[in-house]
């Protein structure tokens, strides 16, 4: 099946990394906005190189409409990220050490804490700033509580009563250390288990100013933990709302840019044309539909969509624009493509090795796993510009021969002869070429597996990997699960558009 898909040449393309959201949900939105801008910038060269299919001329829009659209797309991108990425987490802000922002932040914070230290050193001490800090801590602790935490809410409100604290300060009866002890105890009650050690360490800080600084530092981490807990809690309930929200946002975007489905139409038309061709139809047994009354075969629209998504795994990202409906997941499809290329080389190397090795060692799970890990490590940087696959496969061949000979000796078998070693190294070296027959077979079987997995995504048990892919089945299934989840979600959002486009295309076929 790999022969009919567009061959990609993205080894020189940089990996687009979506920025993680930062402290608080507001920062998360800002982070997704930045990532969205990077995506638009990275996609613009392709758009300029490729002529857009003929369509109605775009109408002019105002700056206000563009800003409103950008905001909607940003919010849509954030909701999309939360639903699609099961590992999505908000992360604390970490400013670069040599950045202007960090220098300014450090100066301002130092000035504040120095002023607090001076106030507490006065005779008698001045507690104005300290009381304000206690008020901020109180509000933060209350924000961590759930509606049922009545007892804890009453405790916080009673002990951190600012009016009472001010009266104690005016009468010289305020025990700031006792307040800090209560705050630390309450933090220990409310924090996630991962923060237990940080909270315990607060008890070792004896000076008031460093203690307050450390308390606020841990509270910031607890805020992030609470935000991530909220994200994980709403994810199961966000799916349907997100589908409707993204569809609504895209519909509004189409109203402002009516020609924004041109690349989608071109993408689906190419998939249809490929499947209508007998050579491509034979390469995808699951893609063809039942014969109809017309001269040619009738295609199942869902099979065309599945095949179209498989084409994205062989996309020429340097020279072709990405379909509009999958643009938010451009970097994800690129990552899938890179992972599958690496798995193809890995699978080809293992298939060659186990075909030449004695059946006794090929069936040993421990040896197969060890050999796989060795080859994976040597191919780790496969898609970096400085990586040379030919050189890496030379090293792989040397290491594979050593491991095979060692395993043969342990099994009481004769080691590889010099001639067999030369043949094995040569065949492994030949995998560097995309046109290598073994590599093409592995590539075709991987795509066939993904097509079967996609077609049976709602059925149990999961499809079994085709012959020869057994050693990489675990890695292949991990990619397949993420790929199918992404594709199915995209279908849920944009199926009305795909159905409308395909109904016109298939009617003409």
């Amino acid at each position: 099946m790999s022969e009919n898909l567009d061959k990609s040449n993205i080894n020189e393309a940089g990996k687009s990394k979506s920025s993680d959201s930062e402290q608080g949900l507001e920062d998360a939105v800002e982070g997704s906005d930045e990532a969205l801008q990077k995506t638009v910038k990275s996609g613009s060269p392709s758009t300029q190189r490729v002529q857009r299919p003929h369509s109605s001329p775009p109408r002019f829009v105002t700056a206000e409409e563009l800003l409103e659209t950008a905001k909607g797309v940003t919010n849509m991108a954030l909701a999309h990220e939360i639903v699609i990425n099961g590992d999505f987490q908000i992360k604390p802000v970490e400013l670069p050490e040599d950045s202007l922002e960090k220098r300014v932040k450090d100066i301002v914070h130092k000035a504040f804490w120095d002023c607090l230290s001076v106030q507490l050193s006065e005779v008698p001490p001045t507690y104005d700033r300290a009381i304000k800090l206690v008020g901020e801590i109180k509000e933060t602790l209350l924000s961590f509580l759930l509606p049922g935490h009545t007892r804890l809410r009453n405790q916080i409100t009673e002990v951190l009563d600012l009016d009472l604290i001010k009266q104690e300060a005016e009468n010289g009866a305020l025990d700031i250390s006792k307040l800090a002890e209560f705050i630390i105890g309450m933090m220990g009650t409310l924090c996630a288990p991962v923060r237990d050690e940080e909270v315990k360490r607060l008890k070792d800080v004896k000076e008031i100013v460093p203690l307050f600084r450390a308390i606020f530092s841990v509270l910031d981490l607890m805020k992030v933990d609470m935000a991530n807990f909220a994200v994980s809690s709403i994810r199961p309930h966000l799916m349907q709302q997100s589908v409707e929200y993204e569809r609504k946002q895209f519909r509004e975007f189409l109203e402002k840019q009516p020609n924004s489905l041109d690349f989608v139409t071109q993408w689906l038309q190419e998939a249809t044309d490929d499947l209508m061709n007998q050579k491509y139809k034979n390469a995808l047994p699951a893609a063809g539909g039942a014969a109809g009354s017309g001269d040619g075969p009738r295609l199942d629209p869902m099979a065309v969509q599945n095949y179209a998504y498989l084409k994205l795994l062989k996309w020429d990202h340097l020279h072709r624009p990405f379909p509009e409906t999958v643009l938010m997941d451009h970097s994800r499809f690129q990552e899938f493509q890179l992972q599958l290329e690496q798995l193809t080389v890995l699978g080809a190397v293992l298939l060659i090795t186990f075909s030449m090795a004695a059946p006794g060692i090929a069936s040993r799970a421990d040896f197969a796993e060890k050999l796989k890990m060795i080859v994976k490590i040597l191919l780790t940087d496969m898609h970096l510009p400085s990586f040379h696959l030919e050189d890496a496969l030379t090293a792989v061949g040397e290491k594979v021969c050593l491991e095979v000979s060692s395993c043969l000796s342990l099994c009481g078998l004769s080691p590889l002869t010099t001639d067999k070693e030369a043949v094995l190294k040569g065949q492994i070296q030949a995998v560097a070429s995309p046109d290598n027959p073994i590599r093409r077979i592995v590539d075709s079987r991987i795509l066939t597996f993904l097509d079967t997995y996609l077609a049976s995504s709602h059925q149990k048990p999961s499809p079994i990997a085709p012959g020869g892919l057994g050693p990489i089945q675990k890695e292949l299934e991990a990619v397949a699960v993420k790929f199918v989840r992404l594709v199915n979600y995209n279908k849920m959002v944009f199926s009305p558009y795909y159905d409308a486009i395909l109904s016109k295309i298939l009617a003409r076929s």
Side-chain angles (χ1 to χ4, degrees):
M1 186 175 81
S2 61
E3 298 178 10
N4 56 10
L5 296 178
D6 297 318
K7 293 183 179 179
S8 74
N9 181 23
I10 61 173
N11 290 346
E12 301 175 2
K15 292 184 182 179
S16 172
K17 295 184 178 180
S18 60
S19 61
D20 288 325
S21 303
E22 300 174 343
Q23 181 180 354
L25 291 176
E26 182 176 352
D27 291 331
V29 175
E30 293 175 359
S32 64
D33 188 29
E34 180 181 353
L36 182 69
Q37 293 174 2
K38 290 181 180 178
T39 301
V40 173
K41 291 179 180 177
S42 64
S44 59
S46 297
T47 306
Q48 294 172 359
R49 292 190 189 102
V50 183
Q51 184 177 1
R52 178 178 288 275
H54 293 294
S55 63
S56 58
R59 70 179 183 86
F60 292 103
V61 295
T62 65
E64 289 77 11
E65 287 178 314
L66 288 176
L67 289 173
E68 182 183 351
T69 300
K71 181 179 178 182
V73 173
T74 299
N75 293 336
M76 181 171 64
L78 178 59
H80 182 87
E81 183 70 20
I82 293 173
V83 171
I84 291 297
N85 185 3
D87 300 323
F88 176 85
Q89 281 195 330
I90 297 166
K91 294 187 176 180
V93 176
E94 294 182 3
L95 298 175
E97 286 295 328
D98 57 346
S99 66
L100 175 62
E101 293 89 344
K102 189 174 191 310
R103 291 200 298 270
V104 171
K105 178 182 176 181
D106 290 344
I107 291 171
V108 172
H109 281 203
K110 185 178 184 303
F112 176 85
W113 294 114
D114 287 348
C115 184
L116 176 62
S117 180
V118 170
Q119 284 192 344
L120 295 178
S121 301
E122 294 176 355
V123 181
T126 302
Y127 290 106
D128 292 348
R129 288 180 180 270
I131 292 174
K132 287 182 180 179
L133 292 180
V134 171
E136 292 182 23
I137 293 172
K138 175 184 177 181
E139 294 303 318
T140 302
L141 292 175
L142 290 174
S143 70
F144 295 152
L145 300 180
L146 298 176
H149 290 161
T150 306
R151 182 178 60 83
L152 294 177
R153 189 180 306 275
N154 292 337
Q155 284 183 347
I156 295 173
T157 304
E158 179 182 344
V159 177
L160 301 183
D161 185 338
L162 296 186
D163 292 333
L164 179 60
I165 292 173
K166 289 177 183 178
Q167 291 179 13
E168 291 176 346
E170 292 171 356
N171 296 320
L174 178 61
D175 188 347
I176 198 75
S177 299
K178 187 176 180 181
L179 287 178
E181 182 180 348
F182 170 80
I183 290 169
I184 294 171
M186 190 58 65
M187 290 170 65
T189 301
L190 298 175
C191 73
V194 71
R195 303 299 171 199
D196 284 343
E197 289 301 318
E198 280 111 326
V199 174
K200 284 181 181 179
R201 284 196 290 268
L202 293 176
K203 298 178 182 179
D204 299 329
V205 183
K206 303 304 180 183
E207 297 183 19
I208 295 301
V209 174
L211 177 58
F212 268 100
R213 294 190 68 167
I215 285 174
F216 273 95
S217 178
V218 176
L219 284 175
D220 286 341
L221 296 176
M222 290 174 62
K223 289 177 184 178
V224 175
D225 295 337
M226 180 59 69
N228 285 323
F229 173 75
V231 167
S232 63
S233 299
I234 67 172
R235 183 179 284 113
H237 309 286
L238 188 61
M239 176 70 76
Q240 187 57 42
Q241 290 88 337
S242 181
V243 168
E244 296 173 358
Y245 175 69
E246 288 192 37
R247 190 179 295 168
K248 175 177 177 292
Q249 291 292 327
F250 192 78
R251 183 168 61 250
E252 293 175 357
F253 177 71
L254 281 180
E255 292 174 356
K256 297 178 173 63
Q257 300 289 337
N259 58 342
S260 295
L261 284 174
D262 289 351
F263 293 134
V264 172
T265 303
Q266 187 181 66
W267 168 52
L268 295 176
Q269 180 68 63
E270 287 180 7
T272 303
D273 293 342
D274 287 351
L275 293 178
M276 290 297 292
N277 184 296
Q278 184 66 34
K279 181 174 68 173
Y280 296 106
K281 186 162 71 75
N282 288 340
L284 261 182
S293 57
D295 295 333
R298 294 180 61 85
L299 296 178
D300 178 10
M302 190 57 65
V304 177
Q305 287 188 44
N306 289 350
Y307 183 78
Y309 285 110
L310 291 176
K311 286 177 69 69
L312 297 180
L313 299 176
K314 293 292 182 180
W315 203 258
D316 183 357
H317 297 276
L318 288 177
H319 302 96
R320 298 195 64 189
F322 221 54
E324 296 89 344
T325 52
V326 288
L327 194 56
M328 275 200 298
D329 294 306
H330 191 185
S331 62
R332 281 194 175 88
F333 280 102
Q334 282 183 300
E335 183 65 24
F336 287 143
Q337 188 168 3
L338 297 176
Q339 291 175 358
L340 292 175
E341 285 180 1
Q342 191 174 50
L343 278 179
T344 299
V345 174
L346 174 62
V349 170
L350 296 178
L351 181 59
I352 291 169
T353 303
F354 294 139
S355 297
M356 292 193 62
I361 69 167
S363 60
R364 289 187 55 172
D366 57 341
F367 173 72
E369 192 66 24
K370 178 183 178 182
L371 192 63
K372 180 175 68 174
M373 291 305 300
I374 291 173
V375 178
K376 282 177 69 174
I377 291 172
L378 293 173
L379 297 176
T380 298
D381 300 327
M382 180 174 161
H383 294 98
L384 294 180
S386 59
F387 186 85
H388 297 286
L389 184 56
E390 295 84 357
D391 296 340
L393 288 176
T394 299
V396 167
E398 295 286 346
K399 188 64 176 173
V400 165
C401 286
L402 287 174
E403 294 295 330
V404 170
S405 295
S406 175
C407 187
L408 287 171
S409 298
L410 291 174
C411 295
L413 302 172
S414 300
L416 294 175
T417 64
T418 304
D419 290 341
K420 278 193 173 182
E421 280 195 2
V423 172
L424 179 55
K425 291 177 183 178
Q427 289 192 6
I428 290 175
Q429 181 71 36
V431 173
S433 170
D435 294 325
N436 174 261
I438 304 298
R439 180 170 171 174
R440 288 168 64 88
I441 288 173
V442 172
D443 180 65
S444 176
R445 289 179 181 178
I446 286 176
L447 290 173
T448 300
F449 173 75
L450 290 175
D451 178 57
T452 305
Y453 211 100
L454 192 57
S456 59
S457 58
H458 300 293
Q459 300 176 9
K460 299 295 180 182
S462 301
I464 300 175
L469 300 186
I472 61 170
Q473 178 161 346
K474 182 174 66 174
E475 291 80 3
L476 190 55
E477 284 183 348
V479 175
V481 167
K482 293 181 179 179
F483 174 69
V484 170
R485 181 190 302 144
L486 180 61
V487 169
N488 286 341
Y489 181 78
N490 187 270
K491 286 179 180 178
M492 290 172 64
V493 176
F494 298 107
S495 57
Y497 301 105
Y498 296 152
D499 292 342
I501 293 171
L502 281 175
S503 65
K504 295 179 181 179
I505 292 176
L506 295 178
R508 297 194 299 264
S509 300

